[in-house]
């Protein structure tokens, strides 16, 4: 290297050092750009960013144990038993890798290199972001017999990297406190949320032990200790056991491979169960690709092809039979797809969709060749799987017929709208609303109380179908759901057409008790499964009836939560009569209008896709072991949400 070049090098570093300061300030200024949000999701993201570094060390083969501790005061501590972040000074920058990792944006790979390479993507680059968004962060590195220590506050080093004692261990320990100035909403972590994510990471990194310890409350510490030698196949097994599904073949089918230049590898675990649900979880570089992408598309396509080829060859499908559809061969399927790619490209608004096309060929080869071979070698499993696909194909045929029947019937009937529907006068989607009301008496009050110009009422009636366990053909015949489908007018499943929706707001109104919660959950699950676009486009709402009526000298005040009740009690002083509403039926029309239906005064919860997802069974399966936190979240928050119409 000549002198010139050397100068250039040092200039470059000089410049990048200046960038350092600017960089971290930018993170504090616009945190959302780096961690998505400063709400609970962003807060938890801090932990993942740090843990990802330890996982990278595990992937590199130098670490097999990662501990995450939640300490009193919203403090998190992550420890691994890897090599320790290098502590030597960088020859040109004159500072250690530790300092660089925590004070430069995108420091990943610059030092030591190999450790970060495998995972690419988002990994190993977030430590400085976490540091910038922490009130303080302490880094301890155990290496060469010494404990190295450095402290940072809001992104800036407040000590040099110094030696503070001796140790025989090696590893890295990061302790940090999220900055309440940034995370204004909350700095408290949800054990369940961390549990779910860390378990998932333990599945995706076979053999790595990941421990989560909640030490925030001395009397009640919680520990989870994850280690799955089976990797993704353990993941599938876990899901089936947790859902209590009967599997239709005993072995979990594993397909693993890498492409010739080792720039991409894939692990796929497959097993069918006797339910009608399809669950494909896909990951790229350990990141959950909730919107799928090339790996998932490639898998689905190859699976459909293999099943049809096999079925034709062994005469499961006769010459006159139609090919299996993709849905047919995925009914009852649980699959986990985990790919690792160099230079992963994440696309879409949420960056949760894999874009790399080079993965397609690899997946295609794996599924087409290996899965076909597996089926040939395991005829019993093959038979069970193909029987399943056959019955799915038959049910889909039945659903088609049921749908056509419904269509023909509604074409013939003079009034094709459900008899129980009290429609509104307006046809303008911008203002129309439909209240779906459980119970006839509540339906009556709602009908009496509504503003008929723009509010329609549909009382629910009859036996609810357990949508988690139903195929489309059963939905078509269900007496409770059919009126909902016809009233909304937009069809369902593959036929769903949002443009035909007859009301701008679809409002679920049910009692604030256990039964009401049940019906809400079932309807949400139904919408989630069969009319997802409706939820996605933000048309679904949950009405919030008050829990209490407080009366003082004939004046009524309504409270929508216990807290609100106590506030009102305090405010109004003595001589208050409290009525607790047990159901919508206890309110007369005027009260129902005033408290729950009048757009000027009502409280309504807009359902997000996440909420509907939370109502779905699979969510509770993946969620932590504590009771259904997200469902609880909906129930709880429903009471506090302000009017979303304003
Ligand atoms: F533990 C942890 F999660 F808190 C954490 C671990 C947090 C952070 C920011 C980093 C790490 C971490 C980094 N654990 N192990 C490493 N390893 C390295 O940085 C490392 C060590 C040696 C070499 C080498 O080539 O000799 C390379 C690297 C990348």
């Amino acid at each position: 290297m000549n002198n010139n070049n050397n100068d250039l090098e040092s200039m470059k570093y000089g410049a990048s050092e200046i960038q350092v300061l600017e960089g971290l300030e930018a993170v504090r200024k616009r945190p959302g750009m780096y961690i998505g949000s400063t709400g609970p999701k962003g807060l938890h993201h801090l932990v993942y960013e740090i843990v990802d570094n330890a996982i990278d060390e595990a992937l590199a083969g130098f670490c097999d144990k990662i501990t995450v501790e939640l300490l009193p005061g919203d403090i998190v501590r992550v420890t691994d038993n890897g090599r320790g972040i290098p502590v030597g000074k960088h020859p040109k920058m004159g500072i250690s890798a530790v300092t660089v990792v925590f004070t430069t944006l995108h420091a990943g790979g610059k030092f030591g290199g190999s450790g970060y390479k495998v995972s690419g993507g988002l990994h190993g680059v977030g430590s400085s972001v976490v540091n910038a968004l922490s009130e303080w962060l302490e880094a301890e590195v155990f290496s060469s017999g010494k404990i190295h220590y450095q402290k940072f506050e809001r992104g800036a080093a407040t000590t040099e990297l110094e030696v503070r004692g001796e140790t025989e261990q090696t590893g890295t320990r990061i302790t940090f406190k999220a900055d309440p100035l940034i995370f204004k909403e909350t700095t408290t972590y949800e054990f369940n949320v961390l549990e779910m994510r860390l378990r998932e990471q333990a599945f995706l990194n076979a053999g790595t032990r990941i421990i989560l310890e909640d030490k925030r409350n001395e009397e009640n510490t919680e520990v989870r200790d994850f280690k799955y030698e089976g990797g993704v196949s353990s993941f599938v097994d876990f899901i089936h056991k947790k859902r209590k599904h009967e599997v239709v073949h005993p072995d979990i089918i594993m397909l693993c491979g890498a492409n010739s230049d080792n720039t991409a590898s894939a692990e796929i675990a497959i097993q069918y169960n006797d339910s009608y649900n399809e669950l494909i979880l896909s990951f790229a570089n350990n990141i959950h690709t909730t919107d799928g992408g090339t790996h998932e598309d490639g898998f689905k396509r190859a699976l459909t092809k293999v099943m049809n080829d096999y079925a034709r060859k062994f005469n499961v499908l006769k010459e006159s039979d139609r090919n299996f559809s993709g849905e047919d061969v995925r009914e009852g399927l649980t699959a986990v797809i985990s790919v690792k790619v160099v230079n992963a490209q994440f696309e879409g608004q949420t960056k949760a969709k894999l874009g790399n096309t080079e993965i397609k060929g690899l997946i295609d080869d794996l599924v087409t060749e290996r899965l076909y071979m597996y089926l040939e070698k395991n005829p019993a499993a093959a038979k069970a799987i193909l029987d399943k696909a056959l019955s799915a194909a038959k049910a889909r045929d039945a659903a088609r017929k049921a749908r056509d029947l419904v269509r023909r019937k509604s074409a013939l009937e003079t009034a094709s709208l459900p008899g129980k529907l009290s429609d509104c006068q307006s046809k303008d989607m911008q203002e129309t609303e439909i209240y779906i009301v459980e119970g006839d008496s509540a339906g009556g009050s709602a009908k009496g109380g509504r503003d008929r110009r723009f509010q329609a009422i549909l009382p629910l009636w009859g036996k609810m179908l357990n949508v988690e366990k139903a195929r489309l053909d059963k939905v078509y015949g269900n007496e409770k759901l059919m009126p909902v489908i016809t009233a909304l007018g937009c069809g369902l499943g593959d036929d769903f057409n949002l443009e035909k929706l007859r009301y701008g707001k679809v409002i679920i109104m049910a009692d604030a008790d256990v039964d009401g919660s049940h019906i809400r959950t079932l309807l949400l699950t139904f919408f989630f499964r069969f009319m997802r676009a409706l939820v996605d486009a933000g048309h679904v709402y949950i009405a919030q009836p008050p829990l209490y009526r407080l009366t003082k000298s004939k004046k009524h005040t309504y409270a929508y939560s216990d807290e609100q009740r106590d506030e009102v009690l305090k405010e109004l002083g003595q001589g208050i009569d409290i009525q607790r509403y047990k159901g919508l039926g206890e309110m007369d029309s005027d009260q129902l209008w005033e408290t729950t239906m009048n757009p000027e005064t009502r409280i309504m919860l807009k359902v997000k896709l996440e909420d509907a997802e939370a109502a779905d069974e699979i969510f509770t399966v993946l969620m932590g072991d504590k009771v259904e936190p997200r469902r609880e979240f909906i129930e709880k928050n429903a009471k506090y949400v302000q009017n979303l119409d304003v």
Side-chain angles (χ1 to χ4, degrees), residues 8-51:
L8 238 150
E9 281 298 309
S10 55
M11 266 173 64
K12 222 164 70 190
Y13 278 117
S16 69
E17 259 182 281
I18 295 162
Q19 222 182 15
V20 170
L21 295 167
E22 282 175 0
L24 287 195
E25 232 148 64
V27 177
R28 287 186 64 84
K29 242 182 220 150
R30 308 183 67 187
M33 291 260 297
Y34 299 88
I35 52 163
S37 81
T38 53
K41 225 173 168 171
L43 178 77
H44 290 81
H45 206 89
L46 300 183
V47 183
Y48 311 152
E49 286 289 352
I50 294 298
V51 170

Side-chain angles (χ1 to χ4, degrees), residues 1 12 70 95 106 109 205 219 252 255 258 289 298 348 351 375 385 405 413 467 470 482 493 497 509 606 629-630 640:
M1 221 185 267
K12 222 164 70 190
L70 299 176
I95 50 175
H106 307 297
N205 299 281
E219 282 115 64
I252 296 169
L255 312 166
T289 36
K351 299 278 169 240
L375 295 174
I385 293 169
L405 192 72
E413 276 167 20
V467 255
M482 272 320 289
N497 183 356
M509 185 156 75
K606 186 174 188 160
R630 180 88 199 161
Y640 304 114

Side-chain angles (χ1 to χ4, degrees), residues 91-117:
K92 296 217 175 67
M93 284 168 88
I95 50 175
S96 74
V98 176
T99 314
V100 172
V101 160
F102 287 103
T103 56
T104 27
L105 274 173
H106 307 297
K110 245 187 197 169
F111 282 81
S114 61
Y116 288 118
K117 255 185 205 153

Side-chain angles (χ1 to χ4, degrees), residues 369-401:
E369 281 164 37
R370 300 276 195 80
L371 182 60
Y372 196 91
M373 231 154 70
Y374 178 90
L375 295 174
E376 282 192 320
K377 282 198 187 135
N378 298 272
K383 183 176 181 318
I385 293 169
L386 287 167
D387 279 351
K388 181 92 188 130
L390 269 176
S391 99
K394 278 193 191 128
R396 211 168 306 285
D397 239 19
R400 214 174 285 131
K401 287 192 183 116

Side-chain angles (χ1 to χ4, degrees), residues 160-412:
E160 294 284 312
L161 180 66
E162 55 202 33
V163 172
R164 285 210 174 169
E166 304 195 339
T167 179
E168 313 226 300
Q169 329 274 38
T170 70
T172 303
R173 164 183 285 168
I174 308 300
T175 312
F176 68 93
K177 177 172 164 46
D179 192 347
L181 295 178
I182 302 281
F183 300 93
K184 296 198 182 82
E185 194 179 323
T186 178
T187 51
T188 306
Y189 299 90
E190 292 259 3
F191 185 81
N192 281 288
V193 173
L194 294 174
E195 176 187 6
M196 174 163 82
R197 166 74 183 226
L198 294 176
R199 184 196 290 114
E200 171 194 291
Q201 289 300 315
F203 283 129
L204 295 171
N205 299 281
T208 305
R209 185 172 171 206
I210 303 181
I211 302 164
L212 172 63
E213 294 178 322
D214 191 346
K215 296 175 168 172
R216 289 174 295 188
N217 179 350
E218 258 176 64
E219 282 115 64
N220 182 24
T221 63
E222 293 249 20
V223 181
R224 298 286 183 275
D225 195 332
F226 304 121
K227 185 176 172 179
Y228 301 105
E229 294 294 353
V232 289
S233 110
S234 302
F235 205 162
V236 169
D237 191 47
F238 171 82
I239 291 166
H240 279 158
K241 293 219 163 84
K242 190 104 180 192
R243 293 181 99 171
K244 300 193 173 68
H245 277 325
E246 292 294 330
V247 297
V248 305
H249 56 104
D251 297 337
I252 296 169
I253 306 167
M254 276 295 295
L255 312 166
C256 301
N259 63 3
S260 52
D261 58 0
N262 254 326
T263 54
S265 65
E267 287 172 61
I268 304 174
I270 297 168
Q271 194 175 33
Y272 285 82
N273 62 68
D274 66 358
S275 82
Y276 306 132
N277 308 320
E278 152 189 346
L279 178 66
I280 300 177
L281 297 175
S282 68
F283 300 85
N285 295 357
N286 291 341
I287 295 161
H288 192 175
T289 36
T290 43
D291 297 335
T294 47
H295 51 345
E296 212 176 296
D297 293 344
F299 170 74
K300 286 183 185 170
R301 215 189 345 208
L303 182 74
T304 310
K305 185 172 157 30
V306 166
M307 292 298 178
N308 275 302
D309 287 353
Y310 187 91
R312 293 280 171 209
K313 180 162 176 202
F314 292 91
N315 226 22
V316 178
L317 285 177
K318 310 278 180 302
E319 218 167 300
S320 61
D321 289 337
R322 225 196 297 239
N323 259 3
F324 289 132
S325 73
E327 274 128 16
D328 293 338
V329 302
R330 294 196 300 272
E331 190 180 282
L333 168 71
T334 301
V336 176
I337 305 168
S338 171
V339 302
K340 305 249 161 72
V341 243
V342 174
N343 297 324
Q345 262 131 32
F346 294 99
E347 298 177 339
Q349 222 176 19
T350 53
K351 299 278 169 240
K353 186 173 181 185
L354 185 69
N356 301 57
T357 47
E358 65 267 28
I359 201 77
K360 267 195 177 150
L362 172 64
I363 299 261
D364 200 71
D365 288 352
L366 267 183
V367 178
T368 332
E369 281 164 37
R370 300 276 195 80
L371 182 60
Y372 196 91
M373 231 154 70
Y374 178 90
L375 295 174
E376 282 192 320
K377 282 198 187 135
N378 298 272
K383 183 176 181 318
I385 293 169
L386 287 167
D387 279 351
K388 181 92 188 130
L390 269 176
S391 99
K394 278 193 191 128
R396 211 168 306 285
D397 239 19
R400 214 174 285 131
K401 287 192 183 116
R403 184 196 63 198
D404 292 346
L405 192 72
V406 167
R407 280 199 187 145
R408 231 172 305 138
K409 239 169 66 184
S410 35
L412 292 174

Side-chain angles (χ1 to χ4, degrees), residues 47 49-58 62-63 66-67 77-86 97 101-102 109 111-116 124 126-128 171-175:
V47 183
E49 286 289 352
I50 294 298
V51 170
D52 280 353
N53 290 282
I55 287 174
D56 283 350
E57 184 75 354
F62 298 103
C63 146
I66 302 164
T67 308
R77 168 171 285 170
V78 184
T79 311
D80 75 21
N81 65 347
R83 292 165 294 178
I85 306 172
V101 160
F102 287 103
F111 282 81
S114 61
Y116 288 118
S127 324
S128 61
T172 303
R173 164 183 285 168
I174 308 300
T175 312

